[in-house]
Amino acid sequence: MPIFASHDHVGLWYELAGAGDPLLVLGGGPGTDARYLGDLGGLDRHHRLVFLDGRAAGRSEVPADRSTVSFVEQARDVEALRLHLGLERFDLLAHSAGCLTAQEYLAGHPDRVRRAVLVTPVGRVEREPDPVELAELKAARADEPWYPKAAEADRRLAAGEVTGAELAVLQSWALPFSWYRWSRERYAEYRHGHAGSVPWVRDAFYAGAPAAGERAARLARLSAGTTPVLVLAGAADGLIGTVPARRVAECHPGARLEVLTESGHRPWVEEPERFVRTVTEFLTAG
């Protein structure tokens, strides 16, 4: 069973797929099983993917110390996996919230990552969605048949009015906002076993965000990096928007931003050919 002991002896699950140069993959969530990433649109035909289930997520252990679940602390797990696999350098790809962990790792170990791909990132050192942009993205879907139900669910979720089973129902109603083109078949992307089951994991993960007085220094630390970075955004991403991706690209010197016009939050599902081509061309560039 592919479990390794991280720096504090917490057992973490990883899985290998494909062949070629190693590409370490961090999922989002927080707390989501990395299997939701599938084969990343067929990226496994070009690279040796190394999927990591974060602590308290998927098949990895839940640590006794909740503070170790913060994205800052989880960067230490990336280094532990590198050592476990005996990699001198590797490429790194992260999705959504996992991009916070990836950027923290880049800042702490710039010599270990050859190239980095950040897919629909939530922000730089914290969540950074722009409320105005999200409102515009959602309003643009007003002619869709699912819109009234999704908009009502979104309103109630934002108000924090619900918990438990009703919360899960409303979250499912709001899912179409995450996609460029929604159909009932998209529900197959949200398998029950992939969802996070630890109630406190989200808060613990985002506890890595800096206090107001520390934010400038944390951002400057990211901006000092030299690793080539590709940032991918989905033009129709009503979950996080494109503003966080734009801020991430501006933060990393020389970063390339690519906005996929027919994608939402999971571009490898909606535009798999373009996604694989763009990522592979970036990772194999001379």
Side-chain angles (χ1 to χ4, degrees):
M1 195 159 48
I3 291 180
F4 75 99
S6 193
H7 62 93
D8 57 355
H9 308 295
V10 170
L12 302 181
W13 178 285
Y14 70 97
E15 191 164 0
L16 307 178
D21 293 332
L23 176 60
L24 201 155
V25 180
L26 306 178
T32 305
D33 190 309
R35 282 175 288 188
Y36 83 91
L37 295 163
D39 61 6
L40 285 172
L43 197 59
D44 62 337
R45 295 195 297 270
H46 306 271
H47 307 277
R48 181 177 177 235
L49 306 182
V50 184
F51 295 99
L52 175 64
D53 272 349
R55 52 183 58 212
R59 296 150 291 181
S60 291
E61 289 184 10
V62 178
D65 183 355
R66 295 185 183 184
S67 70
T68 66
V69 175
S70 81
F71 67 83
V72 172
E73 289 297 315
Q74 289 203 50
R76 300 180 67 184
D77 296 330
V78 177
E79 176 64 2
L81 180 55
R82 180 192 71 81
L83 293 171
H84 174 76
L85 296 174
L87 301 176
E88 183 65 24
R89 299 183 78 209
F90 60 95
D91 293 322
L92 179 63
L93 182 149
H95 175 235
S96 192
C99 294
L100 293 176
T101 303
Q103 291 174 94
E104 180 65 24
Y105 185 81
L106 288 178
H109 304 274
D111 55 328
R112 296 302 183 189
V113 181
R114 196 182 66 88
R115 289 176 179 265
V117 181
L118 305 176
V119 183
T120 58
V122 299
R124 297 164 294 181
V125 293
E126 59 194 335
R127 282 178 54 85
E128 297 182 283
D130 181 276
V132 174
E133 183 195 32
L134 288 181
E136 291 174 348
L137 286 170
K138 291 171 182 176
R141 314 299 293 276
D143 291 337
E144 300 278 3
W146 48 261
Y147 177 82
K149 193 173 182 179
E152 175 62 14
D154 189 63
R155 183 194 66 78
R156 295 184 63 192
L157 289 169
E161 299 173 353
V162 292
T163 58
E166 189 178 13
L167 174 63
V169 170
L170 292 179
Q171 288 174 332
S172 71
W173 287 0
L175 286 177
F177 286 130
S178 299
W179 297 84
Y180 171 77
R181 184 175 290 108
W182 175 258
S183 67
R184 291 193 61 83
E185 287 71 28
R186 290 294 184 215
Y187 280 118
E189 296 292 324
Y190 300 92
R191 300 182 186 180
H192 178 72
H194 294 176
S197 59
V198 181
W200 48 261
V201 68
R202 182 180 177 84
D203 289 341
F205 182 88
Y206 286 117
E214 301 171 348
R215 193 170 187 275
R218 290 273 293 278
L219 289 174
R221 184 166 172 259
L222 295 187
S223 298
T226 59
T227 302
V229 174
L230 169 65
V231 184
L232 299 179
D237 187 352
L239 180 64
I240 199 67
T242 67
V243 168
R246 298 179 192 279
R247 290 174 175 166
V248 167
E250 291 171 358
C251 182
H252 296 276
R256 170 186 166 191
L257 172 66
E258 187 91 11
V259 180
L260 281 71
T261 55
E262 297 185 1
S263 288
H265 198 59
R266 299 188 182 191
W268 66 90
V269 177
E270 298 202 272
E271 295 186 76
E273 292 183 2
R274 182 179 177 187
F275 176 84
V276 171
R277 181 176 68 252
T278 302
V279 172
T280 298
E281 289 176 353
F282 173 74
L283 294 178
T284 57

